Amino acid sequence: MKYDKYDLIIVGTGFASSFFLQKYLSKNDSTKKILVLERGYFYSHAEKLKVRRGETLPNSKYEPKWDDLVENFNPKKDWHFTTGFGGSSNCWWGCTPRFMPSDFKMKSLYGVAQDWPISYNDIESYYEEAEQIMQISGPDETPFPKNGKYPLPAHKFSKVDDILHKKYGNQYISQPTARASMATKYRNACMASSTCGTCPVDAKFSIENSGMTIYQDSRVEIVYGAEVYKLEIVNNVARNVCYVKSDKEYKIEGEVIVLGANPFFNSNILLNSGDKNPLTGKGFGEQLGVQVLIYLNDLSNAGGSTWVNANGYMLYDGPHRKDHAACLIEVNNAPFLRFEDKKWLNIASFRLIFEDIPADNNYITTSDNKLKPQVHFKGRSEYVEKALANAKEKLPELLSCLPVEKFKYLDPFPNEGHIIGGTRMSKDAESGVVDKHLVHHKYRNVFVLGAGAFTTYSASNPSLTLSALSLHAADKMF
């Protein structure tokens, strides 16, 4: 490494770290020394496509399986994530709805869980900034407040979408998405291949194709293969970052430390560092996703222009959240077919996504292997189970404008690809781990970024919100 001490050390290169660094660089002079420690490696989009086609490459080892990196104590529950340059921007599917204002006020509005220490209005401009960086495709009218327009036009509706949008207006919209509706400087237009994990035409935003030049900045040094496992704390100040690279131990001094790994590894680092906050690692989880196939009579559901064509908010907000969870409807436009003559496209597919609430019996802790956190997930709350039952009851009436033959509910998905909680945001150390600027309540030179800091889960996809929170934190603190 170039220096013995850095002004800023960042762990990880995913959404949270990259958006934080983007704002930090814009606000600081050229003398700053910044070190980025990435546990994985740079593994290009072109290389990923070759592996997806069945080719064997020497560096395919740079994409380890998620379950080799943690000890998962619930074999029925998956936790998909990727490591390496760009983090989960490499495996996400590009869904970017904002949270609703009520998501930040669950306690005061509904008596559930606790309120966030910030409001929707506090980060609205940072939502806007993140959407510009990601070049989001989205509609003019939305159910959440929005001051500006999306950078790219909304994706086109299918026939079913047209009918439902006509009935529900801005409660049923083209999904805001990082899958480009038209070609941009760095990305091609979405071809609706429904293989978004590794987009074959590179239409989906990632850190690699973002156009951000943060990792080429002369102030930034990046070290790959650096597996961070703890911070050395002196008088409640983090002095050194400890990591393993090629089976050798290293430590490096930093003035400010930013943990931007996923919730499993951020929690593991803090616990290995001696963090005694009883909520560190507690209350993690994710949303529940359930697919329902809607068989249609004399209606061919043709059209649409991306994988998730629309979002329905008809079951999302309202007084029912005192009793059961919000539900966001993702309307899939994958090639679902009926194997019946003249009814091939007489089908729609909705993915019902339900928020859950943090529970302390779902927790992350350390293991005998300092690099490998233990993941203990006991199950979902009654709050979300009641919401699923309610949705099954309400859906026939909500879709009465369609010629529905029948509904077929599939088994819940083993994961949503959204790991949330473990280092929740709060007003004080008695109710959470980090403050409204994502600074650790006790270690005041440590930021803990990402969806781990969410106070509650929301039914909406987390990547846009965690990116906006990183922009907000760096802007307010530097």
Side-chain angles (χ1 to χ4, degrees):
M1 280 176 288
K2 295 179 183 178
Y3 309 106
D4 295 326
K5 182 179 179 180
Y6 290 83
D7 298 292
L8 181 72
I9 299 177
I10 299 180
V11 178
T13 56
F15 288 108
S17 296
S18 297
F19 279 73
F20 185 97
L21 182 57
Q22 171 87 357
K23 180 62 70 175
Y24 178 90
L25 290 171
S26 73
K27 301 196 70 175
N28 285 275
D29 60 37
S30 59
T31 64
K32 293 295 184 183
K33 301 186 288 291
I34 303 158
L35 177 66
V36 178
L37 300 173
E38 169 55 60
R39 73 174 292 142
Y41 299 86
F42 181 80
Y43 181 42
S44 74
H45 178 262
E47 291 171 315
K48 292 184 182 75
L49 286 178
K50 290 179 180 180
V51 171
R52 297 299 182 272
R53 290 196 294 263
E55 298 182 35
T56 301
L57 298 178
N59 56 357
S60 61
K61 66 182 180 181
Y62 292 165
E63 193 174 19
K65 295 180 180 179
W66 70 268
D67 48 359
D68 290 335
L69 302 176
V70 301
E71 291 185 24
N72 183 27
F73 280 75
N74 186 342
K76 295 181 179 179
K77 188 73 182 71
D78 291 351
W79 303 100
H80 284 194
F81 59 86
T82 54
T83 58
F85 181 82
S88 289
S89 78
N90 297 311
C91 67
W92 79 317
W93 285 53
C95 304
T96 54
R98 295 185 180 190
F99 281 16
M100 297 289 280
S102 56
D103 290 331
F104 297 88
K105 300 178 179 180
M106 291 294 288
K107 182 68 174 179
S108 57
L109 290 177
Y110 309 121
V112 172
Q114 64 189 67
D115 289 346
W116 294 49
I118 60 170
S119 70
Y120 181 94
N121 289 338
D122 289 332
I123 63 167
E124 199 281 332
S125 65
Y126 301 98
Y127 269 135
E128 196 77 29
E129 187 174 352
E131 288 160 350
Q132 292 295 326
I133 293 170
M134 293 186 189
Q135 290 288 283
I136 299 301
S137 306
D140 291 339
E141 299 294 328
T142 59
F144 39 76
K146 188 172 180 1
N147 290 324
K149 291 185 178 294
Y150 284 108
L152 299 182
H155 281 278
K156 296 176 182 178
F157 279 148
S158 70
K159 288 185 177 180
V160 163
D161 296 328
D162 278 327
I163 294 169
L164 290 170
H165 177 64
K166 184 176 180 180
K167 179 171 182 179
Y168 291 109
N170 76 347
Q171 292 295 296
Y172 191 96
I173 62 171
S174 174
Q175 183 187 67
T177 174
R179 302 180 298 275
S181 60
M182 57 185 292
T184 71
K185 182 177 180 180
Y186 302 106
R187 287 145 57 203
N188 295 309
C190 176
M191 300 295 288
S193 67
S194 302
T195 54
C196 307
T198 303
C199 177
V201 297
D202 207 17
K204 178 196 67 176
F205 174 91
S206 68
I207 301 303
E208 181 184 351
N209 68 17
S210 66
M212 295 190 289
T213 58
I214 51 178
Y215 296 108
Q216 289 75 48
D217 192 292
S218 60
R219 292 169 285 181
V220 178
E221 180 182 354
I222 186 167
V223 176
Y224 291 106
E227 299 181 82
V228 176
Y229 65 91
K230 80 169 184 177
L231 311 177
E232 285 187 348
I233 308 291
V234 179
N235 296 325
N236 294 330
V237 176
R239 295 298 186 193
N240 296 300
V241 179
C242 302
Y243 66 96
V244 174
K245 177 177 169 63
S246 301
D247 296 324
K248 293 183 180 180
E249 294 270 356
Y250 297 90
K251 67 179 178 179
I252 187 70
E253 187 176 357
E255 187 72 23
V256 176
I257 313 300
V258 175
L259 301 183
N262 77 32
F264 293 156
F265 300 110
N266 279 351
S267 294
N268 190 60
I269 292 166
L270 289 174
L271 292 168
N272 278 328
S273 305
D275 186 355
K276 300 301 182 184
N277 186 316
L279 293 174
T280 300
K282 296 286 184 64
F284 87 98
E286 64 173 354
Q287 303 101 333
L288 172 68
V290 176
Q291 203 85 4
V292 54
L293 303 179
I294 302 155
Y295 292 77
L296 303 168
N297 183 37
D298 296 328
L299 177 62
S300 176
N301 187 28
S305 64
T306 190
W307 166 67
V308 176
N309 231 45
N311 280 152
Y313 287 81
M314 298 86 80
L315 296 171
Y316 197 114
D317 221 355
H320 70 265
R321 292 176 82 179
K322 296 178 181 179
D323 178 68
H324 58 264
C327 173
L328 177 67
I329 300 172
E330 282 191 348
V331 184
N332 296 156
N333 199 36
F336 290 96
L337 299 174
R338 290 177 65 173
F339 295 103
E340 302 167 68
D341 188 29
K342 299 180 181 178
K343 292 186 177 182
W344 307 111
L345 294 179
N346 290 14
I347 190 170
S349 176
F350 287 7
R351 189 184 185 112
L352 308 179
I353 302 177
F354 302 92
E355 68 181 332
D356 206 345
I357 50 178
D360 288 350
N361 62 347
N362 297 324
Y363 61 94
I364 302 156
T365 189
T366 59
S367 72
D368 292 338
N369 181 344
K370 61 192 177 188
L371 301 174
K372 200 170 186 178
Q374 291 184 344
V375 178
H376 303 265
F377 184 78
K378 305 300 182 182
R380 302 188 181 279
S381 67
E382 183 183 4
Y383 187 70
V384 70
E385 299 293 347
K386 290 169 70 175
L388 174 56
N390 177 72
K392 289 181 177 180
E393 178 185 336
K394 295 290 180 60
L395 210 56
E397 179 184 351
L398 287 173
L399 303 187
S400 60
C401 56
L402 299 174
V404 177
E405 288 183 12
K406 66 176 180 178
F407 297 93
K408 181 180 179 181
Y409 288 87
L410 306 184
D411 291 336
F413 288 90
N415 75 90
E416 280 300 304
H418 305 153
I419 309 167
I420 300 170
T423 54
R424 75 185 70 160
M425 193 188 307
S426 64
K427 292 182 179 180
D428 52 54
E430 286 68 44
S431 53
V433 179
V434 300
D435 68 15
K436 66 180 181 180
H437 297 126
L438 308 182
V439 178
H440 194 283
H441 280 302
K442 188 173 184 180
Y443 312 134
R444 300 302 292 167
N445 69 325
V446 177
F447 290 82
V448 189
L449 310 180
F454 288 8
T455 308
T456 52
Y457 295 175
S458 173
S460 297
N461 312 68
S463 297
L464 178 71
T465 296
L466 69 87
S467 299
L469 289 172
S470 283
L471 292 170
H472 173 261
D475 191 35
K476 296 299 183 182
M477 296 302 289
F478 295 98

